[in-house]
Amino acid sequence: MTKLSLATALILGTAVFATAADDLASAFKEGKFDGRIRMQYFNTDWVDNEGWNLGTVPNATNTNTKPDGDSEGMAIGGSLIYKTAPLYGISAGAGFYVTHGMGILTDDDNGIYAGHPKNTTASDLFARGPGSATDFGTGYSVLAQSYLQYDIERTKITGGRFLMTNPWITPNDTKMIPIAIEGAQVVSNDLANTTIQVDYANKIKERGMTYFSSMADTGDTPDAIKNYYRTKYTAYTTPTYGSSFGVDDAPAVAIVGVKNKSIDSLEIQAWGIHWDDIIDQGMLEANYAIEAGDAIITLGARYMKQMDKGAGDIITPMSGTSIYARGAVTATNATGATSKVRFKGDNDNSVDTYMYALRAVTNYGPAKLLLAYSHTDDGGDLIAPWRGFPTYDYTRSMTITDWNSNTYAYKAQFDYDFNALVSGLSAFISYSYYDRDPSKVGYQGATDRYYNNGDTKQWNIDAMYKVASIKGLELKARYMIQDNEVIKAIDTPNTGATASEGYGNDTSNRELRLEANYRF
């Protein structure tokens, strides 16, 4: 029996149902288009492009080259999304997206620096190959959305390929083409002051990709899990756990959530996710608004709990590395020599962990002030492969992940609406500080941008201008200053050599993002 994908079955189902409809023509005639033309320019400037010592002896001669060079990319593209009017409660939608290099202000070296793919945000503007490397300047197009929707009373049921939003999965539409999901969703508002959402995600299409693949086939999936399952990011290798021949596809993901606003000024939400044989996670959040004269103060708290359902056996977090740092666990080899060993997140081969975050947001006229704090337990990193950031709206800032093991994070942000001075202009400035545990090695590249850097200080300045004279035109500018602490070695691996100050990776960088959007 031939196996059909969920999206194919739904599209065929549309055709069968449509032939029985009385007024199919009007459903298409009364449908709506949403068009967008988009242009982006990204520039990443690494403070240190000279490489670093990454041998087993910290003061050894530097023979490694940093797999990143300064990079820039410029692309133009857009999207055309169409949705039919409902017919007997059923509607259909499709979204076509395209991006392409402009031939200017873009690297012309195929995105390669010293033989390695460049790890910069400009890579998300262009096409990725069957693996993770980006061909700088090469455009692509993709039908990212093709779905059916059924509305009954105050409940909406969607199936096919579409943009999904929940605490773990988001379109993350900050680059040319958003992330899309193949699956199903039910959102119900039938109960008073309550929203219930049930999501099922079977496949994912990342930015830069024309194809939908398994839920493990993402850049932010822990490397060990990508190796365990058959993904296009990693070679098909024998995993360290489970079948000696690996697994073809990662399991689907099920998510359920409830939001309630029955109590005046208070919103409570509870969510849960199940990734079969990998993890379960739960999230509780409450936000309470208080009026203080002309100001409104909103107090928020979020708690996330992660339960290991097999990820620990795949990741084996207790595996040591060749990077040695202060505060690490002391290990003894067969000859009795000791050294400092860094572990991947924890010391018990389990990824059981939790995170909590607190915030206070004050709105006063055109101004808004955010103060936030978060802490992730030292039991392990939170696994978050699908651009739903655990600390989003709290302590996360641009390009930074702050939910790796035993991290304390702090953030202050000030927003101001300049509309009274310049119509359509708004901006914000933020400062973030992430206090990381140098004895922990992240499970995935997104945790530390591949380099396991130490503490991070980051400034962000963002501005947005909605052009009043051209309806639908919006201009954005974002600038980031990120200073990452260099991890310093305090011991050497069984050599007796003197530790070298400054051993580690200086991953400090500056990033500029410019964007123009025209919606029609």
Side-chain angles (χ1 to χ4, degrees):
M1 179 178 178
T2 302
K3 182 180 179 181
L4 296 175
S5 70
L6 176 61
T8 302
L10 287 165
I11 291 171
L12 291 176
T14 306
V16 173
F17 186 90
T19 59
D22 293 329
D23 196 0
L24 181 61
S26 63
F28 282 93
K29 183 178 180 180
E30 296 170 13
K32 294 183 179 180
F33 280 99
D34 179 13
R36 181 183 194 181
I37 298 174
R38 192 174 200 178
M39 183 170 64
Q40 290 184 321
Y41 169 75
F42 291 169
N43 184 299
T44 303
D45 176 18
W46 297 90
V47 172
D48 178 16
N49 288 304
E50 300 302 323
W52 70 89
N53 293 327
L54 196 58
T56 56
V57 180
N59 60 354
T61 302
N62 177 23
T63 58
N64 294 273
T65 304
K66 182 172 182 156
D68 267 317
D70 295 340
S71 176
E72 63 179 357
M74 189 170 188
I76 189 170
S79 59
L80 189 61
I81 301 170
Y82 174 76
K83 185 179 180 181
T84 69
L87 178 63
Y88 303 116
I90 296 179
S91 55
F96 179 79
Y97 299 79
V98 63
T99 182
H100 206 283
M102 298 180 65
I104 58 173
L105 301 176
T106 299
D107 288 319
D108 57 0
D109 58 357
N110 200 34
I112 299 298
Y113 180 82
H116 299 276
K118 289 185 177 179
N119 176 34
T120 63
T121 52
S123 63
D124 282 327
L125 302 180
F126 309 114
R128 301 181 192 178
S132 60
T134 298
D135 191 355
F136 270 63
T138 299
Y140 72 100
S141 60
V142 58
L143 184 67
Q145 297 194 66
S146 56
Y147 63 89
L148 287 179
Q149 181 177 308
Y150 179 54
D151 292 87
I152 177 171
E153 300 297 335
R154 300 182 65 194
T155 295
K156 178 177 68 176
I157 304 171
T158 307
R161 293 176 171 178
F162 58 98
L163 307 186
M164 179 179 287
T165 300
N166 56 53
W168 290 275
I169 302 172
T170 72
N172 197 210
D173 194 16
T174 59
K175 309 299 194 305
M176 292 296 292
I177 297 178
I179 293 168
I181 293 294
E182 179 181 291
Q185 180 179 78
V186 179
V187 179
S188 174
N189 292 289
D190 288 324
L191 298 179
N193 303 310
T194 302
T195 298
I196 300 173
Q197 181 171 326
V198 179
D199 291 337
Y200 173 81
N202 184 50
K203 293 184 181 298
I204 186 169
K205 185 209 74 64
E206 281 204 296
R207 294 180 300 211
M209 294 183 175
T210 60
Y211 53 86
F212 284 76
S213 191
S214 81
M215 297 303 293
D217 205 351
T218 76
D220 292 345
T221 300
D223 292 340
I225 294 179
K226 283 186 287 196
N227 279 324
Y228 178 66
Y229 293 101
R230 188 193 294 272
T231 69
K232 297 179 177 63
Y233 271 93
T234 55
Y236 184 48
T237 57
T238 301
T240 57
Y241 170 75
S243 167
S244 61
F245 298 103
V247 179
D248 286 341
D249 289 311
V253 172
I255 299 169
V256 61
V258 179
K259 295 182 182 179
N260 183 270
K261 297 181 179 179
S262 296
I263 301 175
D264 188 38
S265 302
L266 176 66
E267 180 186 78
I268 300 174
Q269 53 181 311
W271 293 82
I273 181 174
H274 174 67
W275 196 8
D276 196 33
D277 295 329
I278 301 177
I279 55 164
D280 287 340
Q281 289 181 353
M283 189 193 89
L284 294 173
E285 182 168 355
N287 287 278
Y288 184 67
I290 305 169
E291 291 188 9
D294 293 332
I296 298 177
I297 302 173
T298 302
L299 303 178
R302 178 181 296 168
Y303 176 80
M304 295 188 72
K305 173 69 174 177
Q306 177 171 283
M307 292 149 281
D308 191 337
K309 298 300 178 181
D313 290 323
I314 299 172
I315 295 171
T316 57
M318 200 168 175
S319 301
T321 76
S322 61
I323 306 174
Y324 296 77
R326 69 183 190 277
V329 176
T330 299
T332 304
N333 69 2
T335 64
T338 62
S339 61
K340 300 292 185 178
V341 180
R342 300 176 70 206
F343 292 112
K344 296 178 183 175
D346 57 51
N347 303 325
D348 61 359
N349 276 346
S350 169
V351 299
D352 288 338
T353 192
Y354 64 86
M355 183 277 298
Y356 63 87
L358 305 170
R359 68 178 176 184
V361 182
T362 301
N363 287 273
Y364 182 76
K368 182 174 76 171
L369 176 65
L370 163 75
L371 298 175
Y373 164 82
S374 68
H375 172 61
T376 303
D377 176 60
D378 64 1
D381 299 356
L382 283 170
I383 296 176
W386 312 295
R387 312 302 288 179
F389 308 114
T391 58
Y392 179 75
D393 281 340
Y394 285 79
T395 55
R396 184 186 183 266
S397 292
M398 191 167 74
T399 78
I400 281 295
T401 301
D402 58 341
W403 49 87
N404 43 328
S405 180
N406 202 28
T407 294
Y408 296 83
Y410 312 83
K411 181 177 180 179
Q413 179 172 313
F414 179 71
D415 296 58
Y416 196 84
D417 187 342
F418 293 93
N419 194 62
L421 300 175
V422 180
S423 178
L425 178 64
S426 60
F428 75 76
I429 182 170
S430 70
Y431 173 76
S432 305
Y433 175 66
Y434 304 121
D435 182 359
R436 293 190 175 90
D437 184 342
S439 71
K440 310 295 188 181
V441 178
Y443 302 158
Q444 62 206 50
T447 304
D448 40 36
R449 300 198 73 177
Y450 293 99
Y451 305 119
N452 299 304
N453 49 256
D455 297 348
T456 293
K457 299 174 183 178
Q458 186 181 115
W459 286 93
N460 285 278
I461 301 174
D462 284 35
M464 182 173 68
Y465 177 49
K466 295 182 179 180
V467 182
S469 59
I470 306 176
K471 184 179 179 180
L473 179 60
E474 179 182 272
L475 307 176
K476 293 181 181 179
R478 309 182 71 185
Y479 185 66
M480 177 196 74
I481 301 172
Q482 179 173 293
D483 292 325
N484 294 324
E485 176 193 32
V486 176
I487 294 177
K488 296 180 174 63
I490 62 168
D491 203 353
T492 57
N494 313 322
T495 64
T498 303
S500 108
E501 287 298 316
Y503 170 67
N505 320 321
D506 186 356
T507 61
S508 301
N509 62 92
R510 312 290 181 257
E511 187 166 293
L512 173 66
R513 302 185 185 187
L514 301 176
E515 179 174 353
N517 277 287
Y518 177 65
R519 299 177 185 272
F520 58 93

